[in-house]
Amino acid sequence: MQKKHNFGAGPCILAASVMQQAANAVINWNDSGLSILEVSHRSADFENVLHKTQILVRELLNVPADYSVLFLQGGASTQFAMVPMNFLHKKMKAAYLDTGYFAQKAIKEARLFGEVEIIASSQDKNYSYIPDHIYNESGVAYLHCTSNNTIEGTEIFDFPTIGIPLVCDMSSDIFSRKINVRDFDLIYAGAQKNMGPAGMTLVIAKNKFLDSVKTEVPSMMDYRIFRDNDSMYNTPPVFSIYVAMLNLLWLKDQGGVEGIEKVNIKKANILYREIDRNPLFKGTANIAHRSRMNITFKATDAETEKAFLDFAESRGLVGIKGYRTVGGFRASLYNALPLSSVEVLVDAMKQFENSRKLEQSLQLA
Ligand code: PMP
């Protein structure tokens, strides 16, 4: 079967070797005569998988010893509510950086639990840039930011260094570049981009911050319960964790986060260069804040947009249609998308330009 070039924004492409190992494990896991889908989560074999996955997260992101690595469920969207539910204490407020669609969703949930202050927003220009975010107020429970805005195609390269706890939604760029975990008190991410298949949510949190949870929180929404039960308070998403382990082993083989970051920079540069050169396309994000994971761009008009989508699809390039509320194109260049797929896309943009030129010259003739 022909493999397509998958530029989808998530769930996204995973390496073929990871898919193959996952497929094998569904049929007969490690020659055990059992499928990974039917093993007990309390078995020693699965506990090994869980611990190995935690260790890989620690190694790949250099997670300090005083931080916990937790595997939760409910996606990043549940974190939008869980963060304020756990940390937005009475008489305090939470600060939010409003950088796009998902930041807005996080703000909406936080308002259910207390006072929210939006310290900066880029809504005035369709979230095409990262606003300045210098902030030094006291009495604030935490500052929440979104490291990569999946829909708008912007990414934060300078995180605020402040005296209050920093909470970050890293759903769409975790494991794609080096980060200093110490800059954050809590990081969360849905797994279905660079970590593995959907079903698991990664949380990395400073233990001291977790100790500050004072409110009465339902067990399944209480970070401390997951820490104290080693992410096994209830049945964890076994398959999702297993495939994440395979995928993180694959990432380690690619030279880890440092190795993949170099390739990610190269992939993004090649595509942005073509967007800037080709008169039929235009990038939508402010150049200084352009995301390396989700590259957003537009065509000169609606008819050209539709024509290029068809042109790309016929070449096996899928998933480049922009988000429904934004339009245009979005090419997601997650870790497992090979450089060669980006080259095929760039080539298609060039060929499309040439075919347009030819059509115009024939009309003139
Ligand atoms: N935050 C960001 C930055 C995202 O990209 C997404 C999903 N695309 C979410 C939150 C929501 O994640 P989930 O679907 O896992 O709830």
Side-chain angles (χ1 to χ4, degrees):
M1 200 179 76
Q2 194 207 339
K3 182 83 180 84
K4 302 221 163 140
H5 302 281
N6 185 3
F7 291 85
C12 72
I13 183 169
L14 294 173
S17 61
V18 171
M19 302 281 198
Q20 189 58 60
Q21 291 173 80
N24 294 346
V26 168
I27 305 298
N28 181 5
W29 182 34
N30 286 346
D31 277 330
S32 63
L34 292 172
S35 162
I36 183 73
L37 303 181
E38 63 184 329
V39 296
S40 163
H41 62 288
R42 303 275 172 207
S43 65
D45 284 346
F46 180 71
E47 283 195 2
N48 273 340
V49 168
L50 187 119
H51 291 143
K52 202 164 170 186
T53 315
Q54 284 170 335
I55 290 167
L56 282 162
V57 171
R58 285 189 179 277
E59 274 179 23
L60 288 161
L61 293 176
N62 237 327
V63 179
D66 58 326
Y67 281 65
S68 293
V69 172
L70 312 176
F71 302 139
L72 279 60
Q73 297 191 60
S77 302
T78 300
Q79 295 303 303
F80 295 160
M82 206 162 146
V83 166
M85 193 186 254
N86 279 259
F87 300 108
L88 183 44
H89 300 301
K90 285 199 183 76
K91 295 198 188 123
M92 287 186 110
K93 64 179 174 185
Y96 277 72
L97 200 56
D98 175 26
T99 52
Y101 178 85
F102 288 112
Q104 279 272 320
K105 285 190 142 189
I107 291 165
K108 179 170 174 263
E109 298 298 290
R111 286 196 169 124
L112 298 172
F113 298 94
E115 191 187 338
V116 169
E117 183 190 346
I118 297 177
I119 63 154
S121 171
S122 48
Q123 195 174 22
D124 59 339
K125 290 187 181 156
N126 294 329
Y127 296 117
S128 57
Y129 67 103
I130 302 291
D132 284 339
H133 41 263
I134 295 165
Y135 190 71
N136 33 25
E137 253 196 66
S138 56
V140 179
Y142 60 84
L143 168 60
H144 179 282
C145 62
T146 314
S147 56
N148 184 69
N149 298 284
T150 323
I151 290 173
E152 297 82 3
T154 59
E155 196 164 3
I156 300 182
F157 295 106
D158 294 306
F159 288 99
T161 40
I162 43 167
I164 54 175
L166 187 59
V167 172
C168 187
D169 174 1
M170 289 197 188
S171 294
S172 51
D173 67 350
I174 197 152
F175 296 111
S176 74
R177 58 167 167 157
K178 286 191 297 287
I179 49 159
N180 183 8
V181 173
R182 277 238 173 271
D183 289 344
F184 308 89
D185 281 67
L186 189 143
I187 293 168
Y188 64 86
Q192 64 274 18
K193 272 85 168 168
N194 285 326
M195 190 160 175
M200 179 246 274
T201 314
L202 172 68
V203 170
I204 301 172
K206 193 188 241 178
N207 287 327
K208 217 168 140 201
F209 190 52
L210 293 184
D211 291 337
S212 77
V213 176
K214 286 204 195 76
T215 3
E216 287 299 313
V217 179
S219 303
M220 281 299 287
M221 306 292 281
D222 187 332
Y223 293 108
R224 294 164 305 183
I225 297 267
F226 281 85
R227 178 184 60 182
D228 300 344
N229 291 278
D230 203 11
S231 294
M232 294 266 264
Y233 173 68
N234 72 329
T235 315
V238 170
F239 186 64
S240 181
I241 293 173
Y242 176 69
V243 183
M245 181 195 79
L246 299 175
N247 189 50
L248 295 179
L249 283 169
W250 170 85
L251 178 56
K252 214 173 150 180
D253 278 349
Q254 311 304 305
V257 170
E258 271 182 35
I260 211 80
E261 182 173 20
K262 289 195 187 100
V263 184
N264 287 336
I265 291 173
K266 203 165 169 189
K267 289 191 302 196
N269 283 348
I270 292 177
L271 184 50
Y272 281 124
R273 208 177 305 132
E274 177 61 15
I275 292 168
D276 293 340
R277 184 208 62 80
N278 194 318
L280 297 178
F281 302 102
K282 194 173 174 359
T284 52
N286 183 328
I287 290 181
H289 308 133
R290 281 175 160 178
S291 167
R292 293 173 190 152
M293 288 291 102
N294 310 100
I295 279 108
T296 49
F297 55 110
K298 287 201 149 113
T300 39
D301 56 74
E303 188 267 318
T304 309
E305 182 180 313
K306 166 90 182 61
F308 182 67
L309 277 175
D310 293 342
F311 190 85
E313 178 112 29
S314 69
R315 281 159 175 75
L317 298 155
V318 297
I320 62 163
K321 195 169 164 43
Y323 193 71
R324 57 195 146 89
T325 54
V326 179
F329 308 103
R330 171 178 51 173
S332 297
L333 314 186
Y334 294 117
N335 287 352
L337 184 89
L339 182 66
S340 55
S341 288
V342 184
E343 286 166 347
V344 173
L345 173 58
V346 166
D347 208 44
M349 291 163 81
K350 289 186 172 141
Q351 284 178 26
F352 184 68
E353 182 196 7
N354 289 339
S355 69
R356 280 282 156 123
K357 276 189 194 153
L358 190 66
E359 273 170 31
Q360 279 164 0
S361 62
L362 286 174
Q363 276 166 10
L364 286 176

